[in-house]
Amino acid sequence: DASFPFQTVLPPDTLETIRGGRIAVLPNWLPSKDVKELLADAQTLYDNGQFTADSLATYGKRKQEGDFDPTRDRMVLPSFYPSSGKDGPFTDSSLGNNVARNRLAGRLASVRLALADGLGRPGLVPEGEAMTSLNQRAPHRHEMSYTRFGPGAFLRRHIDEHHEELKGKNGWLKPTRRSISWLVYLNEDWDPSMSGGELRCYERR
């Protein structure tokens, strides 16, 4: 289909699902080789203390109560810190399997191109071009991270991005907003009835 140049990473019906405000689920979206390498990389970096606790997790509130165990919280390895404007350890070529992370970055770049073209959202692509490498410099219009939820950690029901009109006077100051959230699960033999970790989504009303 000449009108859809990125079929290998994003099936055509995915666009229709997202356009309709629904959740697109793509089983086996990543090749098994990539999944294994990324999972091993994430585990190595976690074991080496590169992850940091994320205060958004519900368990994190116990930090103020003196009963905080970061291994049971939501731990992250971010690519970018919006608050400081600095790159995060996910982009550090000296850490872990940077080749695997770059391969993921290239695949996600193709996803952003497909979504920008198919949904008419050019802001998904920095300066009209895809970021095909973690080390390529461009205005940050996306965030990537490894995320690990410890036993009992979870996020409360929330909205990733509110419409600008709901943000008050600062709502329209930024040139872009979060438009798409793309989750990639690396779990091996995942059984939600045993391990939890399901994503619960609620229809807009």
Side-chain angles (χ1 to χ4, degrees):
D1 184 354
S3 65
F4 192 83
F6 305 105
Q7 287 181 319
T8 56
V9 294
L10 203 61
D13 59 349
T14 304
L15 293 173
E16 196 60 37
T17 299
I18 296 174
R19 194 179 292 115
R22 299 183 299 276
I23 306 301
V25 180
L26 306 180
N28 304 315
W29 176 73
L30 276 180
S32 59
K33 175 180 180 294
D34 289 2
V35 172
K36 291 180 180 179
E37 290 189 10
L38 289 168
L39 179 59
D41 180 51
Q43 186 63 55
T44 297
L45 295 175
Y46 174 77
D47 292 341
N48 290 341
Q50 297 295 335
F51 280 56
T52 56
D54 178 28
S55 60
L56 292 178
T58 300
Y59 187 85
K61 67 182 181 180
R62 298 178 66 178
K63 187 174 184 178
Q64 286 75 35
E65 301 170 3
D67 187 23
F68 178 72
D69 179 357
T71 65
R72 298 179 62 86
D73 198 3
R74 179 181 187 241
M75 306 284 287
V76 297
L77 185 88
S79 65
F80 179 63
Y81 296 105
S83 59
S84 64
K86 296 181 179 179
D87 290 335
F90 193 94
T91 66
D92 190 337
S93 60
S94 69
L95 297 178
N97 190 343
N98 187 59
V99 173
R101 296 198 303 277
N102 263 316
R103 197 159 55 238
L104 175 64
R107 192 172 180 87
L108 287 173
S110 294
V111 168
R112 290 196 301 277
L113 280 170
L115 293 172
D117 178 60
L119 299 177
R121 302 181 187 181
L124 287 169
V125 183
E127 296 186 338
E129 297 181 0
M131 286 185 67
T132 57
S133 167
L134 292 172
N135 306 113
Q136 180 179 342
R137 298 298 174 185
H140 282 279
R141 295 187 181 178
H142 71 281
E143 298 173 47
M144 284 188 291
S145 69
Y146 282 143
T147 301
R148 177 189 183 276
F149 283 85
F154 64 95
L155 295 180
R156 292 187 183 276
R157 180 175 174 176
H158 66 282
I159 298 174
D160 276 354
E161 183 71 82
H162 291 276
H163 192 277
E164 281 77 0
E165 290 292 345
L166 299 176
K167 298 178 184 179
K169 62 181 181 180
N170 296 324
W172 296 97
L173 295 181
K174 295 184 178 181
T176 60
R177 63 192 291 269
R178 180 181 292 191
S179 177
I180 299 289
S181 295
W182 194 267
L183 307 181
V184 181
Y185 288 85
L186 303 176
N187 308 65
E188 288 184 309
D189 301 320
W190 177 51
D191 181 352
S193 65
M194 297 290 292
S195 304
E198 290 181 289
L199 173 66
R200 295 182 178 179
C201 301
Y202 300 84
E203 187 175 359
R204 292 180 297 182
R205 295 182 178 179

